[in-house]
């Protein structure tokens, strides 16, 4: 594709220059009719080259090449927008991004002519690789489609990052249809995920997941997507820098994990915080001690390290219930004072949950205001699929079938998260609706410590649904970055 761009653009510039020179001679009396005739031939040659390029794109698209992902059949539907990104920095031509509406019989010749013409008139700028998407796409609406190119990585091969308890193949699951679905948004496409490209965009930066075990699944999914479960990318353990190598003797796991990809100096970490609130044990040496749960204060780890972070992805939800709060002996505090629950709004766990999430989101919003290059994301609630009971009363999901149908008109929302990010610079990763229709993709009875009558219908098999969360996260991050770059160019 680059070769053909050179073939069209460079001769085109030369022919246009010759045409101009000869026209000047003719007007001045020095070139005569031969110069005008030469200019006409030059223009015809340029049109011919454009026609060759057009034919190449069409044929190459039919062959299933990468060009098809840019100029494929979906791009030519009525009302859709084709985003053309041509970058020719190596030719001293400018980076150019152009959007046009394409009708049923849209003319690609008209598009290419106008594109080449404008490319030639712009000043040079650095080459930047971007994916172009339909502006303002709502990725939460769409349908699940079977895709033979899935999964994106092997759960068995990604042992450096993926916990074996979440690799369902390792745990003995024999049906793998749950790995074969991709999400097709309504009216637009998700950009292809490329691990090396992703890392290059986050070069010398830190991505931090802070939340519960669902956030940890999303963290591990992203690492496996980047490496595709292969060992050709070097990632070192950076946990010591964040204190993850230190943990109380009674803890079953560290408070977090951090990996640094040496090629791009990109750090990706996860910190465990089930509530996102500051929680402090009354007796730090006694794990059974009660703890102060400060609903209006973010977890200390965030406050200490946010200046080192470039992208913060928060999640919480499933620990906000009376059983968890009472079991952990969390006692609620607001403004540094213990809350008297009797007769208080905080007696409602739902209200306390909403209050705490809004507080931490608004805290993060202030950090973004002080440092605009920081990005903040709140991942919406991941749904549970216990049927005929709960996790401890015979609930199961090993008999659920996949919903491989259009679910765009079956809304399922996390209103609490939507309201929390409203009027802030923190973005919502809205995964509730699309995940609602994948009950078959949970761990179910394929767990490390499987017991009769106990199934896990909360966590997901990996590879699986969390991979789509990260594809949408990638698309949302790109979309805002590209809109900003378009504004800078235009």
């Amino acid at each position: 594709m680059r070769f053909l761009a050179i073939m069209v653009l460079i001769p085109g510039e030369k022919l246009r220059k010759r045409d101009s020179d000869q026209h000047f001679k003719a007007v001045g009396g020095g070139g005569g009719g031969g110069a005008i005739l030469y200019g006409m031939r030059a223009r015809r040659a340029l049109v011919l080259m454009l026609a060759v390029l057009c034919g190449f794109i069409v044929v190459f698209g039919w062959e299933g090449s990468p060009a098809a992902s840019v100029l494929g059949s979906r791009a030519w539907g009525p009302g859709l927008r084709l985003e053309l990104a041509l970058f020719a920095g190596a030719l001293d031509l400018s980076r150019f991004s152009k959007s046009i509406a394409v009708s049923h019989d849209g003319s690609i010749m008209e598009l290419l002519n106008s594109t080449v013409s404008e490319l030639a008139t712009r000043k040079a700028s650095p080459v930047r690789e971007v994916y172009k998407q339909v502006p303002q796409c709502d990725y939460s609406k769409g349908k699940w489609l079977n895709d033979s190119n899935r999964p994106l990585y092997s759960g068995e091969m990604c042992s450096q990052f993926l916990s074996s308890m979440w690799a369902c193949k390792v745990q003995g699951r024999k049906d793998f249809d749950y790995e074969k679905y991709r999400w097709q948004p309504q009216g637009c496409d998700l950009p292809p995920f490329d691990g090396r490209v992703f890392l290059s965009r986050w070069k010398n930066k830190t991505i931090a997941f802070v939340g519960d075990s669902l956030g940890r699944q999303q963290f591990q999914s992203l690492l496996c997507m980047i490496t595709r479960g292969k060992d050709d990318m070097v990632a070192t353990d950076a946990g010591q820098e964040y204190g993850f190598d230190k943990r109380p003797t009674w803890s079953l796991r560290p408070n977090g994990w951090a990996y640094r990809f040496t090629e791009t100096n990109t750090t990706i970490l996860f910190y465990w915080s089930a509530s996102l609130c500051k929680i402090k044990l009354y007796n730090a040496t006694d794990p059974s001690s009660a703890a102060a749960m400060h609903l209006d204060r973010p977890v200390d780890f965030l406050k200490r390290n946010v200046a080192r972070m470039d992208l913060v992805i928060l999640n919480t939800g499933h620990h906000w219930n009376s059983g968890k709060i009472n079991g952990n002996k969390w006692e609620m505090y607001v403004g540094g004072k213990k809350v008297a629950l009797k007769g208080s709004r905080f007696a409602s766990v739902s209200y306390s949950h909403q209050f705490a999430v809004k507080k931490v989101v608004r805290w993060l919003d202030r950090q973004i205001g002080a440092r605009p290059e920081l990005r903040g994301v709140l991942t919406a609630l991941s749904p549970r699929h216990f049927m005929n009971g709960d996790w401890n009363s015979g609930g199961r999901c090993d008999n659920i079938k996949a919903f491989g149908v259009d679910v765009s008109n079956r809304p399922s929302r996390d209103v609490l998260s939507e309201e929390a990010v409203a009027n802030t610079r923190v973005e919502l990763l809205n995964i509730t609706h699309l995940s609602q229709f994948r009950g078959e993709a949970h761990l179910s009875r394929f767990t490390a410590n499987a017991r009769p009558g106990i199934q896990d219908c909360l966590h997901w098999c990996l590879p699986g649904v969390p991979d789509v969360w990260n594809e949408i996260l990638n698309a949302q991050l790109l979309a805002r970055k590209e809109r900003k770059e378009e504004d800078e160019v235009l």
Side-chain angles (χ1 to χ4, degrees):
M1 187 72 178
R2 189 183 183 93
F3 171 75
L4 284 178
I6 294 172
M7 186 177 74
V8 170
L9 292 172
I10 292 182
E13 285 298 294
K14 290 181 178 179
L15 294 176
R16 200 178 288 111
K17 184 176 186 301
R18 289 177 183 171
D19 186 12
S20 177
D21 291 342
Q22 296 293 350
H23 178 68
F24 175 79
K25 291 179 182 178
V27 172
I36 296 174
L37 178 62
Y38 183 86
M40 292 173 63
R41 289 174 177 171
R43 283 190 293 272
R44 288 176 181 173
L46 177 60
V47 171
L48 178 60
M49 290 178 184
L50 286 169
V52 171
L53 176 59
C54 176
F56 170 79
I57 291 173
V58 173
V59 172
F60 203 46
W62 286 343
E63 292 297 326
S65 73
S69 65
V70 180
L71 295 173
S73 59
R74 284 184 57 80
W76 303 104
L80 294 180
R81 292 166 62 83
L82 174 64
E83 297 281 349
L84 178 63
L86 295 177
F87 299 92
L91 306 176
D92 290 329
L93 295 172
S94 71
R95 176 167 59 90
F96 174 69
S97 175
K98 185 178 181 69
S99 302
I100 64 166
V102 181
S103 63
H104 280 293
D105 57 346
S107 171
I108 193 169
M109 279 300 299
E110 179 183 349
L111 168 63
L112 290 172
N113 273 313
S114 63
T115 300
V116 172
S117 176
E118 188 160 350
L119 269 170
T121 62
R122 288 183 175 257
K123 296 180 180 179
S125 66
V127 176
R128 290 185 184 180
E129 185 276 337
V130 295
Y131 296 128
K132 289 314 220 175
Q133 285 299 301
V134 178
Q136 308 301 323
C137 179
D138 183 354
Y139 294 107
S140 69
K141 295 180 179 179
K143 57 185 176 182
W144 289 99
L145 297 177
N146 195 272
D147 188 342
S148 60
N149 293 319
R150 295 279 171 152
L152 299 177
Y153 56 89
S154 165
E156 297 166 301
M157 299 295 290
C158 193
S159 56
Q160 180 182 0
F161 308 116
L162 179 57
S163 299
S164 60
M165 63 181 176
W166 291 334
C168 288
K169 280 188 177 180
V170 175
Q171 298 302 328
R173 185 164 179 170
K174 301 301 182 184
D175 64 300
F176 306 131
D177 289 346
Y178 69 91
E179 295 184 342
K180 296 294 186 180
Y181 285 93
R182 67 175 176 86
W183 180 249
Q184 177 59 60
Q186 189 178 59
C188 57
D189 291 317
L190 286 170
F193 185 90
D194 184 292
R196 293 191 182 278
V197 172
F198 181 86
L199 289 178
S200 69
R201 292 198 188 96
W202 294 93
K203 186 175 183 178
N204 299 320
K205 298 185 185 300
T206 296
I207 299 171
F209 291 86
V210 180
D212 58 24
S213 54
L214 277 304
R216 185 182 170 200
Q217 285 207 300
Q218 188 179 357
F219 158 73
Q220 293 189 1
S221 162
L222 180 61
L223 292 171
C224 290
M225 288 170 65
I226 289 171
T227 61
R228 300 191 72 83
K230 300 177 182 179
D231 57 3
D232 57 345
M233 294 185 188
V234 178
T236 59
D237 188 339
Q240 187 174 2
E241 297 177 26
Y242 296 91
F244 295 159
D245 59 325
K246 302 173 183 177
R247 66 176 185 264
T249 55
W250 63 79
S251 178
L252 297 176
R253 57 176 177 266
N255 287 333
W257 294 261
Y259 298 96
R260 179 166 297 123
F261 289 89
T262 56
E263 185 176 337
T264 57
N265 192 37
T266 304
T267 303
I268 304 178
L269 66 87
F270 168 79
Y271 179 78
W272 173 271
S273 175
S275 67
L276 300 180
C277 301
K278 175 178 180 177
I279 295 180
K280 186 175 181 180
L281 287 171
Y282 292 146
N283 183 350
T285 63
D286 180 8
S288 64
S289 167
M293 183 183 194
H294 294 273
L295 299 178
D296 55 348
R297 300 179 186 178
V299 61
D300 282 344
F301 177 82
L302 267 178
K303 295 183 70 174
R304 287 196 308 267
N305 294 286
V306 69
R308 307 167 63 183
M309 300 171 180
D310 301 280
L311 171 62
V312 177
I313 303 147
L314 306 173
N315 93 287
T316 186
H318 290 291
H319 285 255
W320 286 94
N321 60 72
S322 297
K324 291 285 188 181
I325 291 174
N326 294 334
N328 289 318
K329 300 179 182 179
W330 291 342
E331 298 180 354
M332 299 181 186
Y333 280 66
V334 175
K337 298 179 180 180
K338 187 175 179 179
V339 174
L341 295 180
K342 188 174 181 180
S344 167
R345 291 177 297 178
F346 293 101
S348 164
V349 174
S350 176
Y351 178 81
S352 300
H353 178 196
Q354 182 182 45
F355 179 88
V357 174
K358 282 187 176 180
K359 286 293 183 181
V360 72
V361 165
R362 274 152 181 73
W363 174 85
L364 183 55
D365 180 58
R366 292 194 296 274
Q367 309 311 307
I368 298 171
R371 189 161 63 92
E373 66 272 19
L374 174 65
R375 302 285 297 273
V377 174
L378 175 65
T379 302
L381 189 69
S382 172
R384 299 160 20 118
H385 290 90
F386 290 98
M387 307 290 288
N388 302 317
D390 211 329
W391 68 272
N392 58 353
S393 58
R396 57 184 300 192
C397 51
D398 60 341
N399 58 346
I400 298 177
K401 301 298 182 182
F403 290 82
V405 296
D406 188 342
V407 296
S408 56
N409 294 319
R410 301 181 185 181
S412 178
R413 298 169 56 192
D414 178 4
V415 177
L416 186 151
S417 294
E418 290 178 11
E419 293 179 349
V421 302
N423 302 313
T424 73
R425 285 156 287 205
V426 178
E427 304 164 49
L428 180 68
L429 181 58
N430 192 357
I431 54 88
T432 305
H433 173 70
L434 63 94
S435 304
Q436 185 66 50
F437 299 92
R438 293 300 311 279
E440 94 295 353
H442 289 292
L443 300 182
S444 63
R445 57 190 170 87
F446 301 98
T447 58
N449 299 308
R451 290 178 291 168
I454 302 293
Q455 294 195 13
D456 186 344
C457 303
L458 170 64
H459 299 100
W460 304 91
C461 289
L462 290 175
V465 172
D467 304 333
V468 171
W469 303 350
N470 284 320
E471 287 182 296
I472 295 175
L473 172 66
N474 178 54
Q476 289 186 190
L477 296 173
L478 281 172
R480 201 183 83 167
K481 179 175 184 288
E482 289 163 8
R483 285 196 294 273
K484 181 178 178 182
E485 288 183 349
E486 278 190 351
D487 291 341
E488 291 173 352
V489 170
L490 300 176

